[in-house]
């Protein structure tokens, strides 16, 4: 029957026959010779219970032809006994899949973690550290790994998973139960969050003082973290501790405060001097004036300046009021142009002031009660139009990409030169 099954290439029947007669090595030889993945998946649960080492060797020889996820059920059933040999064979194949084949499937990495947690705790921490500290690059389930390590009491591995999850407070709390130096490493991880770092170091200092009652180690913590000061740590010490233990720390803290006070005094002196200079400049600005000669002309229209109301800027440019208005208007935003038109309309509707007339003053008083006075309207208009010189201010800088000749008038200007 076996001979006929081989001729018909019915190798499944051949392997089943050998397994029924407990000829497991012969069954494995048939599997290894014909290298059919489906036959490996079907008969591996039987063979692994009797010849685990030889079967794992065959799996490794098959390499990437086998899907490791299909073999996990056979490994789980085999390693449930928890014996060292059973767990070691399962770990051997999983390590081959991860390290040699480069498997990234989460199920494979999670199963390898569970095997490490049960049989090889030292390899568990090494695997976690080798996987890295970036939560986006690890191939195992972080929450599953944390639960697994906690169930088996592997605290150092739990601390590492907490660090990958960026749960630094939990990492420090658990690390303090294992090793203070490990807690210090965790406390320095949030480099960009100084407030959290200080909080973590305070946890370490409190633990060292209250649980271990070690003053020297507490002073070492104070020296290790520049964010901590002696006044942060003092409340943790008992009342009977003498000041000799803190003499150097208190002196260094007082020196730091003294240096900080001197810096503040220097900054205050600089601010006072700056305020005096600003005050002196303002007084000089109030007294500044300009002289207008009869022959001076408007910088825009080139007509005599004194013929109409004008503006004189500190830079020396002079403009008629209407010429300045025409020059400024195109460069203003839409909302400022609307405000300019509104001020012009209100200013045109306001009654002109009459000197020495009580009736005019009464009229202005009544207008002020209803709306802004004429002087206020003119001040608002000046602030909008004459805040800076149109030739020397920001408006000229913003118009640097504007052509000298308006494109709509280019042809007319071009013909005028012919």
């Amino acid at each position: 029957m076996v001979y006929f099954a081989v001729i018909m290439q019915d190798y499944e029947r051949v392997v089943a026959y050998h397994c029924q007669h407990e000829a497991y090595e012969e069954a494995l030889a048939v599997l290894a010779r014909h290298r059919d993945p489906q036959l490996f998946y079907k008969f591996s649960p039987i063979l692994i219970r009797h010849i685990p080492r030889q079967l794992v060797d065959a799996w490794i020889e098959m390499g990437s032809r086998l899907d490791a996820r299909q073999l996990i059920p056979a490994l789980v059933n085999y390693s449930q006994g928890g014996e060292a040999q059973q767990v070691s064979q399962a770990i051997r194949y999983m390590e081959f899949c991860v390290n040699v084949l480069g498997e990234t499937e989460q199920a494979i990495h999670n199963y390898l973690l569970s095997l490490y947690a049960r049989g090889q705790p030292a390899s568990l921490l090494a695997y976690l550290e080798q996987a890295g500290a970036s939560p986006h690059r690890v191939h195992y389930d972080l929450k599953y790994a944390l639960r697994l390590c906690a169930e088996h009491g592997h605290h150092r591995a739990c601390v590492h998973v907490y660090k990958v999850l960026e749960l630094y407070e939990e990492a420090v709390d658990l690390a303090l139960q294992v090793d203070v130096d490990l807690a210090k490493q965790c406390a320095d991880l949030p480099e960009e969050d100084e407030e959290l770092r200080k909080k973590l170091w305070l946890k370490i200092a409190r633990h060292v003082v209250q649980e271990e009652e070690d003053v020297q180690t507490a002073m070492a913590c104070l020296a290790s973290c520049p964010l901590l000061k002696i006044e942060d740590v003092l409340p943790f010490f008992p009342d009977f501790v003498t000041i000799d233990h803190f003499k150097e720390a208190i002196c260094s803290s007082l020196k730091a405060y003294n240096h900080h006070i001197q810096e503040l005094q220097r900054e205050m002196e600089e601010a006072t001097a700056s305020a005096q200079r600003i005050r002196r400049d303002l007084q000089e600005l109030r007294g500044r004036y300009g002289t207008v000669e009869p022959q001076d002309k408007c910088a825009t229209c080139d007509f005599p300046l004194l013929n109409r109301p004008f503006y004189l800027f500190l830079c020396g440019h002079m403009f008629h009021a209407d010429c300045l208005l025409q020059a400024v208007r195109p460069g203003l935003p839409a909302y400022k142009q609307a405000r300019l038109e509104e001020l012009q309309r209100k200013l045109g509707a306001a009654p002109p002031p009459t000197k020495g007339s009580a009736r005019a003053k009464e009229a202005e008083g009544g207008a002020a009660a209803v709306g802004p006075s004429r002087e206020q309207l003119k001040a608002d208009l000046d602030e909008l139009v004459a805040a800076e010189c149109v030739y020397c201010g920001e408006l000229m800088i913003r118009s640097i990409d504007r052509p000298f000749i308006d494109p709509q008038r280019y042809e007319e200007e071009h013909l005028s030169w012919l």
Side-chain angles (χ1 to χ4, degrees):
M1 186 270 293
V2 172
Y3 176 75
F4 181 72
V6 171
I7 293 177
M8 298 301 296
Q9 297 184 357
D10 189 2
Y11 301 113
E12 180 178 354
R13 186 179 299 274
V14 176
V15 175
Y17 173 81
H18 289 312
C19 290
Q20 289 173 1
H21 291 78
E22 299 182 358
Y24 301 110
E25 293 185 357
E26 295 181 8
L28 181 59
V30 174
L31 290 177
R33 185 164 55 250
H34 298 286
R35 308 173 76 85
D36 186 352
Q38 297 302 323
L39 294 180
F40 270 99
Y41 300 148
K42 182 173 183 178
F43 292 101
S44 287
I46 301 173
L47 297 176
I48 198 170
R49 292 200 297 266
H50 303 282
I51 49 173
R53 184 179 59 80
Q54 296 89 328
L55 180 62
V56 171
D57 290 340
W59 285 350
I60 293 175
E61 187 178 351
M62 286 287 289
S64 59
R65 294 186 184 89
L66 293 178
D67 185 358
R69 293 175 299 177
Q70 302 284 347
L71 301 174
I72 287 179
L75 289 171
V76 170
N77 293 330
Y78 170 67
S79 61
Q80 279 181 348
E83 296 181 4
Q85 181 182 1
Q86 295 174 337
V87 175
S88 64
Q89 293 301 324
I91 289 176
R92 188 161 72 94
Y93 181 66
M94 288 291 104
E95 287 180 341
F96 169 77
C97 293
V98 171
N99 299 328
V100 179
L101 299 182
E103 283 284 353
T104 58
E105 186 66 32
Q106 190 178 80
I108 296 175
H109 286 263
N110 287 346
Y111 182 55
L112 181 58
L113 273 176
S114 66
L115 293 173
Y116 280 148
R118 284 188 295 166
Q120 298 182 8
S123 300
L124 171 63
L125 184 58
Y127 166 79
L128 293 175
E129 292 176 348
Q130 184 181 4
S134 174
H136 305 292
R137 294 184 178 181
V138 297
H139 301 299
Y140 57 87
D141 188 342
L142 288 167
K143 295 182 180 178
Y144 172 75
L146 183 61
R147 184 173 67 253
L148 194 67
C149 297
E151 288 177 357
H152 291 83
H154 303 314
H155 295 313
R156 288 184 177 272
C158 283
V159 171
H160 180 82
V161 178
Y162 275 133
K163 290 191 296 184
V164 178
L165 289 169
E166 298 182 356
L167 300 174
Y168 301 117
E169 292 191 45
E170 291 80 355
V172 170
D173 291 337
L174 185 58
L176 288 174
Q177 303 176 19
V178 180
D179 185 11
V180 175
D181 292 334
L182 181 61
K184 291 179 181 179
Q185 295 175 8
C186 299
D188 281 331
L189 289 177
E191 298 179 354
E192 299 181 357
D193 193 344
E194 293 187 355
E195 183 178 354
L196 179 58
R197 282 180 60 202
K198 183 176 181 180
K199 183 179 179 181
L200 297 177
W201 276 99
L202 283 175
K203 283 178 176 287
I204 298 173
R206 183 186 296 110
H207 173 82
V208 171
V209 173
Q210 296 179 353
E211 301 295 333
E212 300 183 6
E213 298 181 357
D214 189 346
V215 178
Q216 298 300 328
T217 306
M219 292 297 99
C221 291
L222 191 64
S224 301
C225 181
L227 300 177
L228 289 183
K229 296 182 175 58
I230 184 62
E231 59 268 24
D232 299 325
V233 183
L234 280 177
F236 304 144
F237 289 95
D239 297 336
F240 59 82
V241 178
T242 59
I243 198 174
D244 295 338
H245 298 288
F246 318 111
K247 184 177 179 180
E248 295 182 1
I250 291 176
C251 291
S252 61
S253 179
L254 290 176
K255 289 180 181 178
Y257 276 119
N258 187 30
H259 181 67
H260 184 60
I261 290 173
Q262 291 178 356
E263 289 183 353
L264 289 177
Q265 288 178 347
R266 184 168 60 253
E267 291 177 1
M268 290 174 61
E269 292 174 357
E270 292 177 356
T272 303
S274 178
Q276 291 177 354
R277 288 194 299 270
I278 293 173
R279 194 178 298 111
R280 186 168 56 251
D281 292 343
L282 290 175
Q283 291 176 355
E284 292 178 357
L285 285 174
R286 291 192 186 99
R288 292 190 67 174
Y289 62 92
T291 304
V292 179
E293 301 293 338
Q295 65 272 17
D296 289 336
K297 297 181 179 180
C298 175
T300 301
C301 66
D302 205 31
F303 279 92
L305 186 68
L306 298 178
N307 289 349
R308 302 197 300 271
F310 62 89
Y311 288 95
L312 171 63
F313 291 93
L314 295 177
C315 59
H317 287 116
M318 310 172 190
F319 303 92
H320 289 130
D322 53 344
C323 295
L324 180 63
L325 193 63
Q326 292 178 3
V328 170
R329 188 193 301 272
L332 293 177
Y335 72 96
K336 286 190 176 182
Q337 291 185 9
R339 175 62 176 163
L340 182 61
E341 294 176 359
E342 181 184 1
L343 290 174
Q344 286 182 305
R345 187 174 62 255
K346 290 183 178 180
L347 200 59
T354 305
K355 296 184 178 180
S357 173
R359 184 178 301 173
K361 292 182 180 180
E362 292 177 1
E364 283 192 10
V370 176
S373 62
R374 185 180 181 85
E375 286 74 12
Q376 182 63 41
L377 293 174
K378 289 183 66 176
D380 293 343
L381 184 64
D382 291 343
E383 182 179 358
L384 191 62
V385 175
E388 58 183 3
C389 176
V390 69
Y391 286 169
C392 304
E394 185 179 353
L395 183 63
M396 181 57 67
I397 297 175
R398 290 201 304 266
S399 64
I400 193 170
D401 58 344
R402 189 178 302 164
F404 290 109
I405 301 174
D406 189 356
Q408 298 179 356
R409 299 184 55 222
Y410 180 80
E411 291 298 331
E412 178 183 350
E413 187 73 18
H414 176 66
L415 293 175
S416 68
W417 282 75
L418 297 178

